[in-house]
Amino acid sequence: MNTRRATVLKKITTTLTIGIALFIGASAVEADWDAGVTAFKSGDYGEAAKQFQAFVDDRPDVYQGHQMLGQSLAKLKRNQEALAHLKKAYELEPNSVQIQLPLGKVYLEVGQYADAAAILGKIDSSSLPAAQKSAVHQMLALALEKSGDSGRALGELAQAAKAKPNDANLQYQYGAAALRAGDTNTAVSALGKAASLAPNDPEKLSAYAQALVRVGRTSRGLDAKTQAYQKAAKTGAKLVGLDPSYDNLMLLAGAQLGAKQYDGALSTLQQAARKNPSDWLPLYYRGQAYTQKSNFSAAEKSLRSALTKTNNPKDQKTIQGQIGFVYEKQKRYPEAMKAYRVAGNSAGVARVEKNQQTAEFNADVEEENRIRRELEDAKAALEAELKDLPGGGAPNN
């Protein structure tokens, strides 16, 4: 079982089995049953399994015995045996949520996700306490996600988060799932809530900042982009204050670039480069920041250094594309076209060629205008000299 699934199952089912044991114990009086409940409540699941097995041997058609024996075996990680008894309990009493819940849990434990989704989907959680209602939706969401139905899984997580709005971990799970599904607005809302509930948790701050950066990248309006990046930069700064790792510094720098906080980005990228001096990305982003500040010399230097840090052809093309842009901004058209060609940017080459032709045409026009002005000035000077001569006047045409 992967770590995430184990964590989710542990968190959402801890109180369920004890509640079920007490619920059933109220209606059963046999000694084996009472001894089993006592052992289960005290955490002695081996003894509980022994007592409930004796109860089942005597009363094989009573669903409560199979239910509690199944739960005891599940606690002992004897999942296949647990599954057999829980299925028998479900066969005897198919409409009990107190059976559906542990059966769905064990189905999840053994990786039978479609079966887990089917059984958990039968539960009407409307009458359950908030904690159990949230647990049902979480388990069903996990089963649906593992079964490939991410759309329904997100809906179940939404219900779980609604049932427990102050649970930072649950809000984080919901937001992260929404981000994976491409529902950025929902992700930002849930992750923002998670970060607010747990302001010192780097994982939640990082996810929130990433969601805000995605909003910045995908928004069309300039104001929306800037606001998203500014929020991301503010969150990223908090994150770096808690954990100044390379990845967190790069996340902050990306947000600062989007927010047009170029000096801040340069400082952050310098820190990132010290953390990982062999990576080309900090130098590449520094080149972008310097370009936006019109410090083209520093931009080119940084980008040339970035080229020395990677042998990956794709990365080198990315860097060459930015170098081409730096040259283009300076109207160094031949060098820009050369860099764009190396980058495989045919559109950039075409644009620069057109700009160069326009610049050359404008230069020719300017030269013609200059010559015309000189001729006009010479003519005016000649006319003035002729007027100063005796009998001078306007020359005959």
Side-chain angles (χ1 to χ4, degrees), residues 152-305:
R152 285 181 62 200
L154 186 60
E156 292 299 326
L157 274 178
Q159 293 299 315
K162 183 179 180 181
K164 295 184 68 177
N166 295 321
D167 187 324
N169 290 326
L170 184 51
Q171 297 299 327
Y172 168 73
Q173 291 171 24
Y174 176 39
L179 196 63
R180 290 194 298 271
D183 188 348
T184 309
N185 290 333
T186 297
V188 166
S189 177
L191 291 171
K193 185 177 292 186
S196 176
L197 291 167
N200 296 319
D201 188 330
E203 185 178 34
K204 293 175 178 59
L205 288 173
S206 175
Y208 182 41
Q210 290 178 53
L212 288 168
V213 167
R214 183 178 294 185
V215 171
R217 289 173 179 167
T218 57
S219 296
R220 294 188 177 182
L222 181 60
D223 288 342
K225 281 182 175 291
T226 301
Q227 289 176 9
Y229 279 125
Q230 287 174 344
K231 288 182 180 178
K234 184 177 180 180
T235 303
K238 292 180 182 178
L239 173 63
V240 167
L242 292 170
D243 178 15
S245 68
Y246 173 76
D247 288 341
N248 290 342
L249 285 165
M250 291 300 292
L251 176 58
L252 171 58
Q256 289 172 321
L257 285 172
K260 306 185 188 306
Q261 299 171 2
Y262 302 122
D263 290 332
L266 287 169
S267 176
T268 302
L269 289 165
Q270 187 174 13
Q271 295 176 62
R274 287 197 295 266
K275 293 274 186 180
N276 190 355
S278 63
D279 197 359
W280 62 278
L281 274 173
L283 291 166
Y284 172 72
Y285 286 135
R286 281 176 66 84
Q288 287 186 321
Y290 279 127
T291 302
Q292 293 300 321
K293 287 172 63 66
S294 297
N295 189 342
F296 300 120
S297 176
E300 182 180 355
K301 181 180 178 181
S302 186
L303 291 167
R304 292 291 179 190
S305 296

Side-chain angles (χ1 to χ4, degrees), residues 122-145:
K122 295 178 182 294
I123 297 175
D124 179 6
S125 64
S126 60
S127 61
L128 295 176
Q132 288 194 4
K133 182 185 296 186
S134 179
V136 170
H137 289 300
Q138 280 184 271
M139 285 197 293
L140 182 52
L142 181 60
L144 290 168
E145 182 182 344

